[in-house]
Amino acid sequence: MVLYKLQDFEPNYRDTFEGRDLNGLGVYTQGTDEKVGTVSDVLVDEEGHFRYLVVDLGFWIFGKKVLLPIGRARIDYNVDRVYTIGLTREQAEDLPEFNERQTLDYDYEERVRGVYRQPADYIQPVDALFPLEATSPVDTTYQQPVTPTYNRDSYNYEQEPSLFGLNEQDHQTLRLYEERLIASKRRQKTGEVTIGKHVETDTARVSVPVERERVVIERVTPADAGTAISGREADFREGEVARVEIYEETPEVRKEAFLREEVRVRKVVDQDTVETQETVRREELDVNSGNLPVEER
């Protein structure tokens, strides 16, 4: 069976334990309250079940790490301690050393389990050892220790609850849950503003002063009118024409384009706070103790 370090199996495992961590907890013998060492890691199986605590026996055996089956441990978060159940110094010396670079195979675990197994954990009524048709009466109240055998192909941890089953008396935990609102933001498109340009036409008027020439004919009576002149002075010509060129100005209009204004387009972000609400649930503890004293911590 494959084992994993808890950190590798579930990197966010501390969230499940409300920020608590087994690593670093002191390990003490139950009853004598003698410090054995410190928890340095936790090993879990493929389903995430706790199977072993890795204990650094710095207080008993310097530099040696061993495996402590979870069924032989009692975790007390109130004092941040782990108590070993039935672990002796002699057993710790007999335990194979745990090496992170070493593969944890069935044979290695069997060596570990063999140290922790106690004959009292495996008992069998004597009437199972002798057939019922025995000629002499048998005292069925007597129980004889037996040594079980396991198969590497079919072994599972549930076969040894004394080593891998959590002691219900020492590990009763009632978890109370509550719901919390977790606020997050999602960016979504609310619309689109299109900015462009088009051409409009209009009639523009401009005043241009112009000049026009015209002919003015004036007839005047000279001062010597009526005075006789000689024939030589009188020059009668027929068909004599005086020509005068007449000009006038006409307006010429041309168009010229010029820059009128610039339009700059940009976005600004307005900050606002939006409140939302939702119904959340919370579990409360109901204690029915009758007249028995109950202390809550």
Side-chain angles (χ1 to χ4, degrees), residues 239-277:
E240 184 178 1
V241 177
R243 298 181 181 275
V244 179
E245 293 183 350
I246 305 299
Y247 293 91
E248 71 173 6
E249 295 177 335
T250 59
E252 291 184 357
V253 179
R254 63 183 178 86
K255 294 185 289 185
E256 185 180 64
F258 64 95
L259 180 63
R260 181 167 61 92
E261 65 176 329
E262 286 184 348
V263 178
R264 298 178 181 178
V265 180
R266 60 189 179 92
K267 294 194 300 184
V268 296
V269 178
D270 296 328
Q271 300 289 339
D272 196 4
T273 301
V274 179
E275 290 188 359
T276 183
Q277 64 182 20

Side-chain angles (χ1 to χ4, degrees), residues 172-206:
Q172 293 189 62
T173 302
L174 182 62
R175 294 185 176 182
L176 302 180
Y177 297 91
E178 69 175 1
E179 294 177 329
R180 298 177 182 176
L181 294 182
I182 306 299
S184 61
K185 296 185 293 184
R186 178 170 58 90
R187 186 179 178 89
Q188 62 180 8
K189 181 178 178 180
T190 57
E192 184 177 79
V193 177
T194 302
I195 301 172
K197 62 180 183 177
H198 68 282
V199 177
E200 291 185 356
T201 60
D202 197 1
T203 301
R205 289 179 173 83
V206 61

